[in-house]
Amino acid sequence: SVNVRNFFWIVQQIYVLFSASVQRWQILKNQVKILTVKPLSDTRWECKVDSVKAIRYQIGDIYDALVEISETANDPKYQTEAISLTKAIRNFTFLVTLCVWYDILSQVNVLSKTMQSDKMEIDNCLKLLKKSKQFSCRIPRKRFSEFKNISKRISRRIRNVYRTNHVSSRKKTKNENKFFSKLLTLIYG
């Protein structure tokens, strides 16, 4: 899906923008106190979950760092890139996707680590896979409201992001439901 590709592209671009300069990395470190942004990895689930986790739990601080770069960078290219990323992470679709993917990647990461244990037996492995499948089947419809509410709370960490009327119009709600359904269909087939 284009939305999923865009989501992971934004996550990676946040890392690239900060990591490409000592000054920009310092701006990030001044704003973000606990988790730093991480690069995505095609092979390691833990890297993916760490990349998404840093943004998921510190989006307000990352947003502030991006705003600072947009206001202080000497190169207009990086100012423009920071402005684009602030707009991207304020997008409600991005925020819902952030919640969904963090949930999924966390579950896959736990499963992956557990299955790699030296003491893992095949019957326990099969049980874990079955539980993981049950978990992933629960996500689609039952958790949409939960993800939407989490996204609203996250958006409050970014100034002027979430307006109450954003979801209240019938058209927006249908579009969000349509997006969410497409996202989950892509992920779970």
Side-chain angles (χ1 to χ4, degrees):
S1 157
V2 173
N3 287 326
V4 174
R5 278 195 308 269
N6 286 345
F7 168 75
F8 283 109
W9 182 84
I10 292 165
V11 169
Q12 183 65 18
Q13 287 310 113
I14 290 170
Y15 170 77
V16 168
L17 178 67
F18 288 118
S19 68
S21 157
V22 174
Q23 292 84 7
R24 291 192 301 269
W25 192 258
Q26 189 58 49
I27 289 171
L28 176 69
K29 284 175 51 179
N30 291 342
Q31 295 288 343
V32 175
K33 304 297 183 200
I34 301 169
L35 303 168
T36 58
V37 294
K38 307 273 191 239
L40 290 173
S41 169
D42 290 334
T43 56
R44 297 195 59 226
W45 283 107
E46 191 165 12
C47 289
K48 286 183 175 157
V49 76
D50 288 345
S51 299
V52 174
K53 181 180 184 178
I55 296 169
R56 160 74 176 81
Y57 287 103
Q58 299 172 129
I59 197 162
D61 298 332
I62 291 169
Y63 178 83
D64 291 342
L66 289 168
V67 168
E68 187 174 338
I69 290 170
S70 74
E71 295 170 348
T72 62
N74 294 329
D75 190 333
K77 173 185 175 188
Y78 300 118
Q79 288 178 326
T80 304
E81 198 170 325
I83 290 167
S84 295
L85 289 170
T86 60
K87 289 178 183 176
I89 68 173
R90 286 190 333 229
N91 181 289
F92 193 72
T93 300
F94 176 84
L95 295 174
V96 173
T97 306
L98 178 67
C99 294
V100 171
W101 274 106
Y102 177 71
D103 207 37
I104 292 167
L105 291 171
S106 296
Q107 180 69 21
V108 170
N109 190 45
V110 168
L111 180 66
S112 176
K113 284 182 174 183
T114 306
M115 290 177 65
Q116 292 176 37
S117 168
D118 335 1
K119 299 175 184 176
M120 177 55 70
E121 295 176 6
I122 195 75
D123 58 334
N124 290 336
C125 180
L126 292 172
K127 288 177 189 175
L128 277 173
L129 287 171
K130 186 177 179 180
K131 284 183 183 180
S132 181
K133 183 179 177 186
Q134 290 169 345
F135 168 82
S136 65
C137 290
R138 267 197 339 251
I139 288 178
R141 310 296 176 258
K142 292 182 181 178
R143 300 203 49 209
F144 175 66
S145 294
E146 179 185 345
F147 286 127
K148 197 164 69 169
N149 290 333
I150 292 169
S151 299
K152 287 179 192 177
R153 285 195 307 271
I154 290 172
S155 71
R156 290 184 190 117
R157 296 181 200 156
I158 305 171
R159 54 192 135 145
N160 299 322
V161 177
Y162 191 80
R163 294 180 306 282
T164 320
N165 64 358
H166 179 77
V167 191
S168 63
S169 87
R170 187 74 178 136
K171 187 174 181 184
K172 286 287 185 184
T173 303
K174 283 182 179 178
N175 287 339
E176 287 171 0
N177 287 336
K178 185 177 176 183
F179 159 76
F180 193 72
S181 294
K182 283 183 180 180
L183 174 66
L184 294 171
T185 301
L186 173 76
I187 294 167
Y188 299 110

